[in-house]
Amino acid sequence: MNKKKKDRRLIYRSIWRWHMYAGIIIAPFLLILAITGSMYLFKPQIEGFLYRDYHNVENLGEKLTDSAIVSTVKNDHPDATVTRYRPGESDTRSAEVKINENGTSYTIFVDPYNGKIIGTLDDQHRIIDRVEEFHGELMLGTFGDWIVELVACWTLVLILTGLFLWFPNKKWMAGTFFPRLRTHSKKILIRDLHVVPGFWLSLAVLFLVFTGLLWTGNWGTKFQTLTTNAGIGYPPSVWVGIAPSSSLQTKDIADVPWAAETLEVPQSTQNVYVPVSIDDIVQTTNNMKIYPTYEVIYPKTKDGVYTISVFPPKAKDEATLHIDQYSGEVLSDYRYANYKSLGKIMAWGITVHKGLEYGLINQLAGLFICLGIILLIITGVILWWRRKPDGHFGAPKSISVLKTRTVLIMLIFCSIIFPLFGLSVLLLYIIDHFIIQRIPKINYLFHTPIKKGEDKK
Amino acid sequence: MIRMIRLSLLNCLLFIIIAGCSFKTVDENAEKKYQQKSTLETVISIPENIKKEEDVILNLSFSKDKKMIKKVDNLVVQLWEKGSERQLPLTLDESSEGFYQIKTNFPQEGLYYIKINARYNDSIVMPTKQFIVGDYKEYDYEDNDVVHESHHEGHDSHH
């Protein structure tokens, strides 16, 4: 075998090894993300069905004032703090008042025509919110958020290494662009059901990974900060940073839509004044021609501001407003049009990721990709299991990554862009070098016994 | 050679960690790169000691971008006593360019509110201030109940 061919074979095996280990490690998490993701895609339909009795009201003519609706809830829950108010987007939609009572957040649904409370929902019991929590942080808080970020990064590794492994060296369409479903070989069938969908789905999964990474508390926040600072992303306060003259954050005020979770709000300038009424806030907001599903987030402190937040299905309708609670003036008004080019792309990417931008087709496409990912995981695990010898992981024999320049450069490049991924690689290296390779039994599990004349890992 | 690669790899990773930590805060000046709004500042000057049945002058002025505004586009002033639906009569005059005078008379001691509705270009403000007439001390100044639900219609306007 000539040297060039041997080198290529070694690189191939090295990449295969990375693909296999990355796959085994992240498969369970990726499966969770695919399942919860496919459920979360249908949030509008699921919530619309679950809470239909709370959402729908009969049009009885003239609605009560917003302050009267909020007062109804206050009278019913005298010890609670009102955190958010959603006036309702149509004549047959109930108003929602979110309250915090003894540390628990509740949504109270009120009939805006007669002030009758038609439903109370403990926000902890919102199924879709729990699914979202599972999808975003595996219900493990910041630690889970890091894991999800790592899964996203390692999925990138899977895609890149997978594409390298897929790259055809023979010009056969079968087994490359479409699977050989009529084959009698089970091995070929499973291989094709992993490799071919993997190729076709790679772009879509790449899209989901990048847009999903924007949610992450670590990489996403840093990326947003970088683009906002550079004047190419979201304006300050929509995602990260402060709105004009502000030093306060709305993160603790209420459960605002994800894109405004770390919103900071402008400070009120005239603290000697009496706060304006919710009627004035709603009136001002309506005059600003905001998408009607907006929510009013109450100021949490004396010098806080009202935040009007709306993240409708289409990115172009997004808006974040801050209204001074004393003067009633709109302090900042950020719409999609005010986002810079990258901000607009991100906003669009996020709504597509959530299956909202293009309605049902978008949801079905998202579901199709999720199911495809599940297929890839199942066939990938089967492929590995079938070739795995007893007592050994069955990873392909390869040389150390430090000796393969191509892989090493890719690794360093990915580590620069995704520092948490770089850290995980460093951690794996330390574990491998100081633990695995020093304990013979574990070493055998991971590393193929070394034969004379061959490179060791 | 391997040792050098390992060292450079470790250095790269250390650099990443350090660099990663520097994207944490948004610049104070970042907002200048996006659309900005300037606020319409309102100053309502109320005399410290107001006695009942005495003619009182409340002063009003507006500024934007730290510049006094000579004339706002629209101005409505409302004055009422806490708990009362009835609005007090008042006269609104421009004393000099940019300064408005509200002349009124309070029939009894109590807690009062003044609400200004003003528009200038694309800015709309609607601040409300509360104040005491006489020795009325039953009400706490911090008591910020919803005070103006029924006071949407102005009594006096100036265009």
Side-chain angles (χ1 to χ4, degrees):
Chain A
M1 195 187 295
N2 63 39
K3 195 177 175 299
K4 208 176 168 187
K5 216 170 176 183
K6 194 184 168 192
D7 279 355
R8 190 181 144 71
R9 216 187 71 166
L10 283 172
I11 290 173
Y12 185 90
R13 283 178 168 270
S14 181
I15 286 175
W16 184 1
R17 194 179 169 88
W18 275 81
H19 188 79
M20 196 204 91
Y21 277 131
I24 293 170
I25 294 167
I26 70 159
F29 301 106
L30 205 53
L31 195 65
I32 290 172
L33 293 185
I35 293 169
T36 52
S38 45
M39 287 165 77
Y40 188 74
L41 276 169
F42 295 91
K43 177 184 175 171
Q45 287 92 336
I46 294 171
E47 290 215 312
F49 175 75
L50 285 177
Y51 310 127
R52 61 193 185 283
D53 293 339
Y54 292 169
H55 285 171
N56 303 323
V57 291
E58 197 185 337
N59 184 352
L60 297 175
E62 203 175 333
K63 285 185 180 181
L64 296 171
T65 61
D66 301 288
S67 51
I69 292 168
V70 175
S71 292
T72 304
V73 175
K74 275 183 177 171
N75 292 337
D76 208 54
H77 300 265
D79 298 328
T81 315
V82 175
T83 56
R84 197 177 68 169
Y85 175 61
R86 187 186 187 280
E89 64 272 31
S90 72
D91 292 338
T92 53
R93 179 64 158 85
S94 62
E96 290 178 29
V97 181
K98 190 160 271 197
I99 57 163
N100 190 302
E101 196 169 34
N102 302 322
T104 309
S105 181
Y106 296 94
T107 304
I108 317 287
F109 299 86
V110 185
D111 186 328
Y113 296 100
N114 55 22
K116 203 178 146 198
I117 291 176
I118 50 177
T120 300
L121 188 65
D122 182 339
D123 289 331
Q124 276 299 315
H125 297 160
R126 276 181 184 264
I127 295 163
I128 284 295
D129 283 7
R130 300 287 73 76
V131 170
E132 187 185 6
E133 207 180 329
F134 221 121
H135 190 72
E137 50 189 42
L138 306 171
M139 293 187 129
L140 294 171
T142 308
F143 180 66
D145 184 45
W146 290 354
I147 294 179
V148 171
E149 181 177 329
L150 274 177
V151 170
C153 293
W154 281 95
T155 306
L156 280 181
V157 172
L158 277 182
I159 296 169
L160 293 177
T161 52
L163 282 174
F164 180 89
L165 298 173
W166 163 86
F167 196 79
N169 48 9
K170 285 171 191 153
K171 286 172 187 166
W172 287 339
M173 297 292 276
T176 303
F177 295 106
F178 56 88
R180 290 160 284 186
L181 295 173
R182 288 184 183 176
T183 177
H184 295 294
S185 162
K186 223 176 191 177
K187 189 183 165 189
I188 289 176
L189 182 71
I190 297 168
R191 181 248 173 226
D192 282 9
L193 284 178
H194 183 76
V195 174
V196 178
F199 162 72
W200 287 112
L201 287 175
S202 55
L203 254 186
V205 179
L206 210 62
F207 172 81
L208 287 183
V209 166
F210 270 110
T211 48
L213 271 167
L214 297 173
W215 263 275
T216 57
N218 178 51
W219 191 87
T221 306
K222 279 174 187 149
F223 184 75
Q224 293 297 346
T225 307
L226 198 70
T227 54
T228 296
N229 280 346
I232 54 171
Y234 284 97
S237 88
V238 176
W239 192 304
V240 288
I242 53 173
S245 321
S246 164
S247 62
L248 300 163
Q249 280 212 351
T250 53
K251 193 174 181 181
D252 297 326
I253 293 173
D255 185 21
V256 299
W258 72 274
E261 228 166 56
T262 53
L263 202 74
E264 287 184 53
V265 296
Q267 206 167 30
S268 290
T269 48
Q270 297 156 329
N271 59 6
V272 295
Y273 294 93
V274 173
V276 296
S277 75
I278 187 71
D279 299 319
D280 285 335
I281 298 293
V282 171
Q283 184 63 48
T284 301
T285 308
N286 290 341
N287 291 342
M288 301 293 291
K289 307 275 179 249
I290 299 286
Y291 195 82
T293 54
Y294 68 85
E295 292 163 344
V296 178
I297 300 155
Y298 275 63
K300 199 192 174 189
T301 55
K302 261 189 166 179
D303 48 4
V305 298
Y306 280 97
T307 297
I308 315 300
S309 176
V310 62
F311 290 89
K314 292 196 187 304
K316 68 175 178 58
D317 297 323
E318 289 180 6
T320 303
L321 267 70
H322 298 297
I323 301 179
D324 192 304
Q325 65 164 313
Y326 298 103
S327 73
E329 184 176 14
V330 178
L331 298 177
S332 65
D333 174 10
Y334 289 132
R335 314 285 178 105
Y336 176 79
N338 305 121
Y339 299 175
K340 296 292 180 184
S341 51
L342 200 57
K344 284 180 179 168
I345 293 170
M346 288 190 286
W348 171 83
I350 285 159
T351 50
V352 174
H353 184 117
K354 288 167 99 174
L356 296 171
E357 185 73 32
Y358 302 110
L360 189 63
I361 291 172
N362 197 160
Q363 289 175 312
L364 293 175
L367 179 68
F368 179 75
I369 297 162
C370 285
L371 293 176
I373 293 170
I374 294 169
L375 175 76
L376 290 180
I377 294 167
I378 293 169
T379 50
V381 169
I382 295 173
L383 277 177
W384 164 66
W385 195 257
R386 283 169 69 97
R387 71 179 294 278
K388 185 189 97 63
D390 286 341
H392 189 273
F393 269 116
K397 206 161 37 172
S398 76
I399 52 167
S400 164
V401 73
L402 298 175
K403 286 182 185 172
T404 50
R405 208 190 306 165
T406 322
V407 182
L408 189 67
I409 289 170
M410 269 172 61
L411 204 59
I412 292 173
F413 181 71
C414 287
S415 300
I416 289 171
I417 301 173
F418 305 107
L420 196 64
F421 166 76
L423 271 181
S424 73
V425 172
L426 190 68
L427 190 71
L428 285 178
Y429 177 78
I430 291 168
I431 291 171
D432 182 51
H433 198 75
F434 293 101
I435 301 172
I436 294 174
Q437 291 194 23
R438 284 165 200 236
I439 302 169
K441 268 192 177 172
I442 302 177
N443 191 31
Y444 177 77
L445 198 66
F446 287 91
H447 300 285
T448 314
I450 308 137
K451 287 177 190 167
K452 265 191 180 174
E454 278 192 338
D455 288 297
K456 66 171 153 172
K457 184 192 180 276
Chain B
M1 180 64 184
I2 294 274
R3 187 173 287 270
M4 272 185 70
I5 293 174
R6 277 183 190 169
L7 268 176
S8 57
L9 183 65
L10 279 174
N11 281 339
C12 268
L13 287 168
L14 276 175
F15 164 77
I16 293 154
I17 297 158
I18 294 161
C21 295
S22 64
F23 303 137
K24 273 187 178 166
T25 50
V26 173
D27 292 344
E28 277 179 27
N29 296 325
E31 64 193 12
K32 288 179 183 159
K33 293 168 181 164
Y34 303 85
Q35 189 213 41
Q36 269 188 290
K37 253 182 143 285
S38 57
T39 55
L40 179 63
E41 308 282 339
T42 315
V43 177
I44 309 171
S45 305
I46 299 167
E48 280 209 6
N49 296 308
I50 306 174
K51 287 179 181 154
K52 66 172 184 178
E53 294 170 343
E54 212 177 67
D55 288 342
V56 183
I57 294 174
L58 314 174
N59 290 300
L60 192 59
S61 64
F62 300 93
S63 61
K64 198 166 187 177
D65 296 324
K66 291 178 183 167
K67 281 180 197 159
M68 286 292 293
I69 292 166
K70 288 180 181 173
K71 197 180 176 96
V72 290
D73 299 336
N74 187 289
L75 179 61
V76 177
V77 179
Q78 297 160 276
L79 203 59
W80 73 95
E81 189 183 357
K82 187 178 172 93
S84 166
E85 297 262 324
R86 199 173 64 86
Q87 294 198 25
L88 294 179
L90 57 91
T91 50
L92 179 65
D93 293 315
E94 258 186 89
S95 61
S96 59
E97 269 196 351
F99 288 92
Y100 296 89
Q101 281 193 338
I102 301 151
K103 289 176 188 160
T104 189
N105 190 300
F106 299 97
Q108 59 188 36
E109 292 182 337
L111 187 68
Y112 287 84
Y113 295 97
I114 178 170
K115 183 176 182 182
I116 310 295
N117 271 284
R119 184 172 61 80
Y120 179 72
N121 292 342
D122 60 342
S123 295
I124 297 169
V125 288
M126 54 198 83
T128 302
K129 209 169 186 182
Q130 62 181 18
F131 57 97
I132 287 170
V133 171
D135 294 326
Y136 193 84
K137 280 184 182 139
E138 268 179 43
Y139 283 98
D140 185 352
Y141 258 46
E142 300 297 311
D143 180 15
N144 290 336
D145 292 337
V146 177
V147 289
H148 32 225
E149 283 165 41
S150 55
H151 296 274
H152 283 292
E153 299 305 321
H155 273 200
D156 209 65
S157 66
H158 174 100
H159 299 278

